[in-house]
């Protein structure tokens, strides 16, 4: 399959998945670029027996998680630098900017707060939740993408929901 | 308990920006032009290894010559250096 065809078929999927992780258009654009550059580099080594969509899902998940880790590292470094230098602009620029184009204005506040809690979840719980609830994937598909068993995915989702409930409603979690 | 996840259902799928493909193509082009050909990389590594081996060989030869000089000096009861207070 040609690279351009792959892009046409799967760019929307990758861009939206990145958006669910970072909730910011600029960051999602950067992740989408990283994903497709990576796809272009490893297209030769791609095994035809594996499904293209699952393969690209995995790349997109890894790139999104790497992007978030790199951004957090930069934030920590900028914070330490700001203690010694008076210039706080860099720290302000690295702050989380909630700008998800798929969210309606009236839902923005509620979802921003919900995403704050989702972002605090461990990586595997967050991925399972995003794939299952936002990408509407079945547990079997999630298991295939995450290279886990269906039972493991079920357990991850259960833990993610319990953790979220504890954070949103501390009295309910007890 | 699951109600708190209900707002997530309202999130709409959006189209990727049109300019993104051009950016990706540009980045791929940049990476291709910055990439060092495998042949150059191999020849550079080989040159480095050869240079390193020559260095090691020369150092070993120097040590060997010094040892021989010391042995000759000792056999003729000569001082191998100019240190008078040894």
């Amino acid at each position: 399959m040609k690279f351009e065809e792959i892009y046409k078929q799967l760019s929307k999927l990758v861009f939206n998945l990145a958006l669910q992780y970072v909730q910011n258009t600029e960051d999602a654009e950067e992740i989408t670029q990283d994903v497709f550059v990576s796809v272009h580099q490893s297209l030769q080594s791609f095994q035809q027996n594996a499904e293209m969509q699952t393969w690209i899902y995995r790349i997109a998940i890894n790139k999104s998680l790497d992007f978030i880790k790199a951004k957090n590292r930069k934030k920590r470094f900028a914070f330490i630098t700001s203690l010694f230098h008076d210039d706080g602009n860099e720290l302000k620029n690295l702050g989380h900017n909630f700008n998800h184009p798929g969210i309606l204005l009236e839902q923005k506040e509620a979802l921003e707060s919900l995403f704050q809690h989702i972002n605090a979840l461990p990586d595997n719980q967050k991925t399972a939740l995003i794939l299952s609830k936002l990408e509407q994937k079945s547990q079997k598909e999630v298991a295939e993408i995450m290279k886990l068993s269906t039972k493991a995915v079920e357990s991850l989702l259960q833990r993610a929901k319990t953790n979220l409930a504890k954070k949103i409603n501390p009295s309910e979690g007890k | 308990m699951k109600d708190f996840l209900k707002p997530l259902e309202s999130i709409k799928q959006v189209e990727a920006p049109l300019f993104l493909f051009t950016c990706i193509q540009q980045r791929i082009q940049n990476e291709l032009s910055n990439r060092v050909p495998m042949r150059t990389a191999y020849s550079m590594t080989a040159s480095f290894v050869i240079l390193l081996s020559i260095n090691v060989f020369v150092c070993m030869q120097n040590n060997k010559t010094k040892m021989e000089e010391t042995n000759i000096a000792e056999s003729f009861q000569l001082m191998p250096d100019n240190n008078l207070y040894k």
Side-chain angles (χ1 to χ4, degrees):
Chain A
M1 198 191 252
K2 268 186 168 180
F3 177 69
E4 203 172 334
E5 281 172 39
I6 297 170
Y7 179 82
K8 271 182 192 163
Q9 272 184 28
L10 298 167
S11 60
K12 189 177 173 183
L13 177 149
V14 172
F15 183 65
N16 280 283
L17 184 67
L19 263 178
Q20 318 301 8
Y21 274 96
V22 291
Q23 304 102 43
N24 179 293
T25 314
E26 287 83 36
D27 292 349
E29 281 168 13
E30 213 171 312
I31 294 168
T32 311
Q33 286 185 40
D34 288 346
V35 171
F36 281 101
V37 170
S38 202
V39 167
H40 186 269
Q41 282 169 349
S42 14
L43 204 56
Q44 305 275 332
S45 59
F46 170 68
Q47 293 163 332
Q48 291 298 324
N49 53 357
E51 209 190 321
M52 175 75 73
Q53 192 170 311
T54 311
W55 179 59
I56 292 186
Y57 254 121
R58 281 184 201 139
I59 298 176
I61 291 166
N62 289 334
K63 291 283 175 192
S64 303
L65 293 173
D66 286 348
F67 183 89
I68 294 167
K69 274 179 205 154
K71 201 172 179 183
N72 287 341
R73 249 197 319 271
K74 266 187 205 167
K75 257 189 233 174
R76 276 198 295 273
F77 183 71
F79 174 72
I80 294 165
T81 318
S82 72
L83 294 175
F84 301 102
H85 301 282
D86 213 18
D87 184 26
N89 285 339
E90 200 185 345
L91 197 60
K92 276 179 201 164
N93 292 338
L94 285 167
H96 191 254
N97 181 14
F98 191 84
N99 169 26
H100 192 309
I103 291 174
L104 298 171
L105 203 61
E106 56 264 30
Q107 289 277 331
K108 195 181 171 189
E109 212 172 308
L111 280 166
E112 186 172 0
S113 150
L114 182 55
F115 268 115
Q116 262 177 13
H117 296 303
I118 293 174
N119 290 342
L121 288 173
D123 287 347
N124 52 2
Q125 290 180 25
K126 185 163 56 173
T127 301
L129 192 80
I130 286 174
L131 291 173
S132 161
K133 296 288 160 196
L134 292 157
E135 296 292 311
Q136 315 293 341
K137 297 276 167 206
S138 66
Q139 282 196 2
K140 198 183 161 200
E141 287 171 311
V142 178
E144 202 185 338
I145 294 166
M146 292 181 78
K147 288 185 180 171
L148 293 171
S149 66
T150 324
K151 285 250 162 141
V153 172
E154 204 181 321
S155 154
L156 277 177
L157 281 170
Q158 198 51 49
R159 270 185 282 157
K161 282 173 195 167
T162 314
N163 284 340
L164 279 176
K166 272 184 202 168
K167 280 172 187 162
I168 293 165
N169 259 336
S171 56
E172 199 180 308
K174 283 173 190 168
Chain B
M1 182 178 136
K2 285 171 193 170
D3 274 348
F4 60 83
L5 291 176
K6 204 152 178 65
L8 294 177
E9 288 168 16
S10 68
I11 298 175
K12 302 261 184 305
Q13 293 273 305
V14 290
E15 288 294 333
L18 292 171
F19 63 85
L20 218 52
F21 189 63
T22 321
C23 293
I24 291 164
Q25 278 181 317
Q26 190 61 51
R27 269 184 62 175
I28 291 168
Q29 276 306 315
N30 287 348
E31 292 207 1
L32 284 177
S33 58
N34 288 340
R35 194 180 289 172
V36 180
M38 285 304 271
R39 210 172 158 181
T40 319
Y42 279 131
S43 48
M44 292 271 282
T45 316
S47 324
F48 182 73
V49 169
I50 290 167
L51 198 68
L52 201 69
S53 341
I54 291 171
N55 265 307
V56 171
F57 180 73
V58 169
C59 282
M60 281 170 73
Q61 283 298 312
N62 274 350
N63 277 350
K64 209 174 171 183
T65 323
K66 268 184 196 164
M67 289 270 282
E68 275 170 9
E69 275 172 9
T70 321
N71 287 343
I72 291 165
E74 272 172 6
S75 62
F76 282 97
Q77 289 181 328
L78 296 170
M79 280 197 295
D81 51 37
N82 294 322
N83 189 354
L84 299 171
Y85 307 103
K86 200 173 170 182

